């Protein structure tokens, strides 16, 4: 065995040993009480209406199989379409401007509501497919389409219209008013899912990155699997795309991935789930990011939540199979010569931390405490003032410096050490203490094995 080869082979062993010891330390640091389970705020997430499908198949171009009147894409700021982005399936709301200006040589069409490929579950025919709170602009020679075959919906806007929209768009000065409070509720929820007070929320699993792969390894027991990441989700060999996978996730469990940091990139070439239904119980939460890049050739499985009102998300992934909810702005685009980027309509049916029982200490832009009404499928706007185009990107809510630790920090201090929520098993404290001891022993064994291997060389 050559020295270089020995060094290459021992590195993964050391990495896994350190992470195992870190998890054991977290387990022995104390057990967090079981958190209440709740859905996303304002009725967001699940399929709504009387024609929801019984099953949700992988993306395809099959005939329409049902209808969903819930919001699939919510943008609190401006929604831009650039380069060669292709379509956005499901009901869409943006409080700010919608601006479409694709590159020359790419398809000059952008589809909303109903898409040629995806879940094939659009909003009900004749309902609002796209609601724009402010101005709607489509570049000359381009077309914004809210129709496919017999399926068609309404594009509604609150400000001015410039460009071609089919069917004809409808002007409603208060178009965005019924949805205005959702923005602050998303900010509050995103923070609540990621923090308890000023500390990062306790995690239940570990994140392993080796070369070009990133594995989210659950504990195999908790009904809410929480992962904590304070880094870009990219390859471990100098950046670039990473293959993402999940293991140790119990059947029916919800997965919450909290990604911390003001500037973050997720670059993925593949996302592998235990089963395809997991996408409806997977949430990627970015509570701090004001500059977020989601890119790569993967179909990102699961829903995305971006909490900062001043954020800009640049979305160039091949596809997203789930809800996309952002309190900030969105640029749907493509990278390089690629094209055909799509947002697909899939519900989020998971159970998340109960933010009413454990409120965030930092209120969002709106904190009325009253539920946000959903307009009927007819798209008739409710009462209330419409947000102006100049008021679509307020200053971000200050984010306190967190004191919690993540799986990437192998040495948590006793005072800030996160703990595993109680899974509900009888005698859970004793059982998890035993698991922690076993993990500690396993980690020690790995370290000893690695040292012996080096001596043998």
């Amino acid at each position: 065995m050559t020295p270089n080869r020995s060094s290459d082979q021992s590195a993964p062993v050391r990495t896994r040993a350190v992470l195992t010891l870190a998890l054991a330390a977290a387990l022995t640091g104390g057990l967090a009480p079981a958190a209440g389970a709740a859905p996303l705020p304002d009725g967001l997430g699940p399929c709504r209406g009387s024609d929801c499908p019984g099953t949700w198949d992988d993306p395809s171009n099959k005939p329409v199989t049902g209808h969903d009147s819930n919001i699939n894409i919510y943008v609190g700021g401006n929604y831009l379409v650039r380069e060669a982005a292709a379509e956005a399936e499901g009901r869409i709301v943006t409080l700010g401007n919608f601006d479409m200006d694709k590159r020359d040589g790419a398809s000059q069409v952008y589809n909303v509501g109903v898409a040629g490929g995806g879940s094939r579950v659009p909003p009900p025919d004749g309902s609002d497919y796209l609601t724009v709170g402010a101005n709607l602009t489509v570049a000359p020679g381009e077309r914004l389409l809210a129709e496919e075959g017999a399926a068609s919906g309404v594009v509604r806007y609150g400000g001015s219209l410039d460009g071609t929209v089919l069917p004809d768009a409808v002007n409603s000065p208060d178009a965005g008013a019924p949805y205005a409070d959702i923005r602050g509720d998303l900010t509050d929820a995103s923070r609540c899912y990621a923090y308890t007070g000023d500390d990062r929320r306790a995690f239940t699993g570990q994140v392993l990155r080796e070369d070009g792969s990133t594995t989210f390894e659950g504990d195999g027991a908790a009904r809410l699997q929480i992962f904590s990441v304070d880094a870009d989700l990219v390859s471990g060999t100098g950046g670039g795309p990473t293959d993402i996978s999940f293991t140790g996730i119990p059947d029916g469990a919800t997965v919450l991935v909290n990604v911390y940091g003001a500037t973050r990139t997720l670059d993925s070439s593949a996302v592998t789930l235990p089963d395809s239904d997991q996408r409806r119980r997977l949430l990627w939460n970015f509570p701090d990011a004001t500059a977020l890049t989601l890119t790569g050739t993967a179909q990102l499985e699961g829903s995305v939540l971006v909490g900062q009102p001043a954020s800009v998300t640049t979305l160039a992934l091949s596809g997203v199979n789930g809800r996309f909810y952002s309190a900030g702005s969105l640029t749907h685009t493509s990278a390089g010569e690629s094209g055909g980027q799509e947002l697909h309509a899939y519900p989020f049916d998971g159970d998340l931390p109960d933010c009413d029982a454990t409120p965030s200490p930092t209120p969002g832009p709106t904190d009325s405490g009253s539920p946000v009404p959903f307009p009927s499928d007819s798209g008739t706007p409710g009462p209330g003032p419409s947000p102006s185009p100049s008021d679509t990107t307020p200053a971000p809510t200050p984010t306190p410096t967190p004191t919690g630790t993540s799986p990437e920090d192998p040495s948590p201090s006793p005072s800030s050490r996160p703990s595993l929520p109680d899974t509900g098993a009888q005698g859970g404290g004793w059982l998890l203490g035993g698991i922690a001891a076993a993990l500690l022993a396993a980690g020690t064994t790995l370290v000893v094995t690695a040292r012996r291997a080096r001596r043998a060389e």
Side-chain angles (χ1 to χ4, degrees):
M1 181 180 294
T2 64
N4 288 339
R5 189 175 178 186
S6 170
S7 175
D8 291 342
Q9 289 183 343
S10 64
V13 175
R14 290 199 301 270
T15 300
R16 287 185 179 273
V18 168
L19 286 169
T20 302
L21 286 167
L23 182 58
L27 284 166
T28 56
L31 299 174
L40 286 163
D42 302 319
L44 298 172
C47 182
R48 293 169 61 97
S50 59
D51 194 27
C52 292
T55 59
W56 293 80
D57 297 332
D58 291 338
S60 70
N61 59 356
K62 65 183 180 182
V64 169
T65 59
H67 297 89
D68 178 11
S69 62
N70 208 344
I71 297 173
N72 187 56
I73 301 168
Y74 180 93
V75 178
N78 299 316
Y79 189 136
L80 309 183
V81 178
R82 296 292 186 263
E83 296 297 323
E87 54 193 13
E89 188 178 39
R91 187 176 181 182
I92 306 167
V93 172
T94 179
L95 296 185
N97 300 315
F98 184 97
D99 186 282
M100 174 180 167
D101 188 3
K102 301 176 69 173
R103 73 165 183 249
D104 293 340
S107 168
Q108 300 300 285
V109 168
Y110 189 77
N111 299 293
V112 293
V114 60
S119 67
R120 301 295 286 160
V121 183
D125 290 342
S127 68
D128 284 10
Y129 278 17
L130 169 63
T131 300
V132 180
N135 301 325
L136 172 56
T137 304
V138 179
E142 301 182 13
R143 293 176 297 154
L144 178 66
L145 302 184
E147 60 183 7
E148 181 202 67
S152 67
V154 176
V155 173
R156 192 177 301 276
Y157 64 99
S160 62
L161 170 64
D162 185 8
T164 301
V165 180
L166 297 173
D168 290 342
V170 176
N171 180 244
S172 298
D174 293 335
Y179 313 97
D181 288 346
I182 295 177
R183 189 181 198 184
D185 293 340
L186 290 177
T187 297
D188 290 346
S190 179
R191 176 170 174 79
C192 166
Y193 301 154
Y195 292 94
T196 53
D198 289 342
D199 295 333
R200 293 181 181 179
R201 186 173 288 277
F203 55 85
T204 64
Q206 56 184 338
V207 184
L208 306 175
R209 183 163 66 184
E210 293 185 7
D211 299 328
S213 66
T214 302
T215 302
F216 291 84
E217 189 173 277
D219 70 355
R223 302 306 298 167
L224 175 58
Q225 296 283 319
I226 302 177
F227 297 92
S228 177
V229 180
D230 193 357
D232 291 337
L233 286 166
V234 296
S235 172
T237 56
T242 183
D243 289 350
I244 295 173
S245 62
F246 291 82
T247 65
I249 309 299
D251 291 343
T254 298
V255 175
L256 170 62
V257 181
N258 288 319
V259 183
Y260 300 92
T263 302
R264 281 288 167 251
T265 295
L266 184 155
D267 186 351
S268 181
S269 50
V271 178
T272 303
L273 301 178
D275 62 79
S276 60
D277 281 343
Q278 188 65 58
R279 69 165 64 99
R280 295 190 286 125
R281 298 184 304 275
L282 168 59
L283 180 67
W284 302 87
N285 182 33
F286 299 87
D288 308 326
T290 54
L292 174 62
T293 299
L294 304 176
T295 189
T297 57
Q299 296 274 333
L300 183 66
E301 303 291 354
S303 296
V304 175
L305 174 59
V306 185
Q308 289 294 328
S311 66
V312 175
T313 299
T314 301
L315 177 58
L317 280 159
S318 177
V320 175
N321 298 329
R323 306 301 199 196
F324 182 90
Y325 297 144
S326 174
S329 294
L330 169 66
T331 299
H332 194 196
T333 186
S334 58
E337 295 300 317
S338 67
Q341 283 70 19
E342 304 173 354
L343 287 152
H344 298 147
Y346 286 91
F348 178 80
D349 296 324
D351 292 321
L352 296 164
D354 189 345
C355 294
D356 290 332
T358 310
S360 168
T362 305
T366 59
D367 192 17
S368 63
S370 58
V372 176
F374 263 82
S376 66
D377 290 343
S378 65
T380 304
S386 174
S388 65
S390 61
D391 190 31
T392 58
T393 310
T397 302
T399 303
T401 302
T403 58
T405 59
S406 73
E408 298 181 5
D409 180 0
S411 303
S413 64
S415 61
S416 62
R417 184 180 297 153
S419 57
L420 183 66
D422 190 351
T423 60
Q426 187 174 5
W430 180 88
L431 175 62
L432 290 174
I435 294 173
L439 285 172
L440 185 61
T444 304
T445 300
L446 285 171
V447 173
V448 171
T449 301
R451 288 174 177 170
R452 287 177 178 173
R454 286 196 295 272
R455 291 194 192 106
E457 295 161 8

